PDB file of all heavy atoms in Angstrom:
ATOM      1  N   LEU A 121      13.785 -23.291 -19.966  1.00 90.00           N
ATOM      2  CA  LEU A 121      12.515 -22.731 -19.512  1.00 90.00           C
ATOM      3  C   LEU A 121      12.637 -22.234 -18.082  1.00 90.00           C
ATOM      4  O   LEU A 121      12.241 -21.113 -17.754  1.00 90.00           O
ATOM      5  CB  LEU A 121      11.442 -23.821 -19.613  1.00 90.00           C
ATOM      6  CG  LEU A 121      10.006 -23.321 -19.499  1.00 90.00           C
ATOM      7  CD1 LEU A 121       9.523 -22.818 -20.834  1.00 90.00           C
ATOM      8  CD2 LEU A 121       9.094 -24.419 -18.988  1.00 90.00           C
ATOM      9  N   ARG A 122      13.196 -23.070 -17.220  1.00 92.00           N
ATOM     10  CA  ARG A 122      13.364 -22.699 -15.826  1.00 92.00           C
ATOM     11  C   ARG A 122      14.159 -21.399 -15.676  1.00 92.00           C
ATOM     12  O   ARG A 122      13.783 -20.503 -14.934  1.00 92.00           O
ATOM     13  CB  ARG A 122      14.107 -23.817 -15.069  1.00 92.00           C
ATOM     14  CG  ARG A 122      13.231 -24.928 -14.573  1.00 92.00           C
ATOM     15  CD  ARG A 122      12.301 -24.431 -13.477  1.00 92.00           C
ATOM     16  NE  ARG A 122      11.389 -25.504 -13.069  1.00 92.00           N
ATOM     17  CZ  ARG A 122      11.674 -26.385 -12.127  1.00 92.00           C
ATOM     18  NH1 ARG A 122      12.830 -26.320 -11.508  1.00 92.00           N
ATOM     19  NH2 ARG A 122      10.798 -27.311 -11.809  1.00 92.00           N
ATOM     20  N   VAL A 123      15.265 -21.345 -16.363  1.00 93.00           N
ATOM     21  CA  VAL A 123      16.131 -20.172 -16.250  1.00 93.00           C
ATOM     22  C   VAL A 123      15.395 -18.923 -16.703  1.00 93.00           C
ATOM     23  O   VAL A 123      15.441 -17.885 -16.041  1.00 93.00           O
ATOM     24  CB  VAL A 123      17.416 -20.374 -17.090  1.00 93.00           C
ATOM     25  CG1 VAL A 123      18.169 -19.053 -17.196  1.00 93.00           C
ATOM     26  CG2 VAL A 123      18.286 -21.445 -16.459  1.00 93.00           C
ATOM     27  N   ARG A 124      14.687 -19.042 -17.787  1.00 95.00           N
ATOM     28  CA  ARG A 124      13.946 -17.882 -18.286  1.00 95.00           C
ATOM     29  C   ARG A 124      12.881 -17.433 -17.286  1.00 95.00           C
ATOM     30  O   ARG A 124      12.752 -16.261 -16.971  1.00 95.00           O
ATOM     31  CB  ARG A 124      13.288 -18.220 -19.631  1.00 95.00           C
ATOM     32  CG  ARG A 124      12.299 -17.185 -20.096  1.00 95.00           C
ATOM     33  CD  ARG A 124      12.572 -16.679 -21.468  1.00 95.00           C
ATOM     34  NE  ARG A 124      13.942 -16.312 -21.699  1.00 95.00           N
ATOM     35  CZ  ARG A 124      14.436 -15.975 -22.874  1.00 95.00           C
ATOM     36  NH1 ARG A 124      13.655 -15.969 -23.925  1.00 95.00           N
ATOM     37  NH2 ARG A 124      15.688 -15.633 -23.018  1.00 95.00           N
ATOM     38  N   GLU A 125      12.145 -18.410 -16.804  1.00 97.00           N
ATOM     39  CA  GLU A 125      11.091 -18.047 -15.847  1.00 97.00           C
ATOM     40  C   GLU A 125      11.672 -17.472 -14.571  1.00 97.00           C
ATOM     41  O   GLU A 125      11.084 -16.583 -13.948  1.00 97.00           O
ATOM     42  CB  GLU A 125      10.217 -19.278 -15.551  1.00 97.00           C
ATOM     43  CG  GLU A 125       9.442 -19.730 -16.775  1.00 97.00           C
ATOM     44  CD  GLU A 125       8.295 -20.666 -16.452  1.00 97.00           C
ATOM     45  OE1 GLU A 125       8.255 -21.200 -15.329  1.00 97.00           O
ATOM     46  OE2 GLU A 125       7.430 -20.856 -17.334  1.00 97.00           O
ATOM     47  N   ASP A 126      12.844 -17.955 -14.194  1.00 97.00           N
ATOM     48  CA  ASP A 126      13.475 -17.405 -13.004  1.00 97.00           C
ATOM     49  C   ASP A 126      13.871 -15.952 -13.240  1.00 97.00           C
ATOM     50  O   ASP A 126      13.740 -15.109 -12.346  1.00 97.00           O
ATOM     51  CB  ASP A 126      14.709 -18.231 -12.641  1.00 97.00           C
ATOM     52  CG  ASP A 126      15.062 -18.082 -11.182  1.00 97.00           C
ATOM     53  OD1 ASP A 126      14.219 -18.459 -10.352  1.00 97.00           O
ATOM     54  OD2 ASP A 126      16.158 -17.573 -10.884  1.00 97.00           O
ATOM     55  N   ALA A 127      14.328 -15.666 -14.448  1.00 98.00           N
ATOM     56  CA  ALA A 127      14.678 -14.272 -14.774  1.00 98.00           C
ATOM     57  C   ALA A 127      13.440 -13.395 -14.723  1.00 98.00           C
ATOM     58  O   ALA A 127      13.479 -12.259 -14.234  1.00 98.00           O
ATOM     59  CB  ALA A 127      15.321 -14.211 -16.157  1.00 98.00           C
ATOM     60  N   ILE A 128      12.331 -13.924 -15.213  1.00 98.00           N
ATOM     61  CA  ILE A 128      11.080 -13.167 -15.170  1.00 98.00           C
ATOM     62  C   ILE A 128      10.687 -12.870 -13.726  1.00 98.00           C
ATOM     63  O   ILE A 128      10.408 -11.723 -13.354  1.00 98.00           O
ATOM     64  CB  ILE A 128       9.939 -13.952 -15.873  1.00 98.00           C
ATOM     65  CG1 ILE A 128      10.233 -14.092 -17.374  1.00 98.00           C
ATOM     66  CG2 ILE A 128       8.611 -13.263 -15.657  1.00 98.00           C
ATOM     67  CD1 ILE A 128       9.250 -14.983 -18.109  1.00 98.00           C
ATOM     68  N   VAL A 129      10.727 -13.906 -12.902  1.00 98.00           N
ATOM     69  CA  VAL A 129      10.318 -13.717 -11.511  1.00 98.00           C
ATOM     70  C   VAL A 129      11.240 -12.728 -10.805  1.00 98.00           C
ATOM     71  O   VAL A 129      10.805 -11.934  -9.975  1.00 98.00           O
ATOM     72  CB  VAL A 129      10.276 -15.072 -10.773  1.00 98.00           C
ATOM     73  CG1 VAL A 129       9.992 -14.876  -9.298  1.00 98.00           C
ATOM     74  CG2 VAL A 129       9.232 -15.979 -11.391  1.00 98.00           C
ATOM     75  N   SER A 130      12.514 -12.749 -11.158  1.00 98.00           N
ATOM     76  CA  SER A 130      13.437 -11.786 -10.547  1.00 98.00           C
ATOM     77  C   SER A 130      13.051 -10.356 -10.911  1.00 98.00           C
ATOM     78  O   SER A 130      13.051  -9.463 -10.057  1.00 98.00           O
ATOM     79  CB  SER A 130      14.870 -12.066 -11.015  1.00 98.00           C
ATOM     80  OG  SER A 130      15.354 -13.240 -10.409  1.00 98.00           O
ATOM     81  N   SER A 131      12.727 -10.147 -12.174  1.00 98.00           N
ATOM     82  CA  SER A 131      12.299  -8.804 -12.585  1.00 98.00           C
ATOM     83  C   SER A 131      11.024  -8.398 -11.856  1.00 98.00           C
ATOM     84  O   SER A 131      10.920  -7.277 -11.351  1.00 98.00           O
ATOM     85  CB  SER A 131      12.060  -8.770 -14.102  1.00 98.00           C
ATOM     86  OG  SER A 131      13.291  -8.700 -14.789  1.00 98.00           O
ATOM     87  N   VAL A 132      10.078  -9.316 -11.813  1.00 98.00           N
ATOM     88  CA  VAL A 132       8.822  -9.015 -11.123  1.00 98.00           C
ATOM     89  C   VAL A 132       9.087  -8.679  -9.665  1.00 98.00           C
ATOM     90  O   VAL A 132       8.548  -7.718  -9.123  1.00 98.00           O
ATOM     91  CB  VAL A 132       7.849 -10.209 -11.236  1.00 98.00           C
ATOM     92  CG1 VAL A 132       6.639  -9.996 -10.355  1.00 98.00           C
ATOM     93  CG2 VAL A 132       7.421 -10.404 -12.681  1.00 98.00           C
ATOM     94  N   ASN A 133       9.959  -9.446  -9.052  1.00 98.00           N
ATOM     95  CA  ASN A 133      10.280  -9.218  -7.644  1.00 98.00           C
ATOM     96  C   ASN A 133      10.813  -7.801  -7.437  1.00 98.00           C
ATOM     97  O   ASN A 133      10.356  -7.063  -6.562  1.00 98.00           O
ATOM     98  CB  ASN A 133      11.329 -10.239  -7.198  1.00 98.00           C
ATOM     99  CG  ASN A 133      11.481 -10.268  -5.695  1.00 98.00           C
ATOM    100  OD1 ASN A 133      10.651 -10.814  -4.997  1.00 98.00           O
ATOM    101  ND2 ASN A 133      12.540  -9.652  -5.192  1.00 98.00           N
TER     102      ASN A 133
END
Side-chain angles (χ1 to χ4, degrees):
Chain A
L121 194 83
R122 276 293 176 88
V123 169
R124 169 126 312 173
E125 294 196 345
D126 203 62
I128 294 173
V129 174
S130 288
S131 283
V132 171
N133 193 76

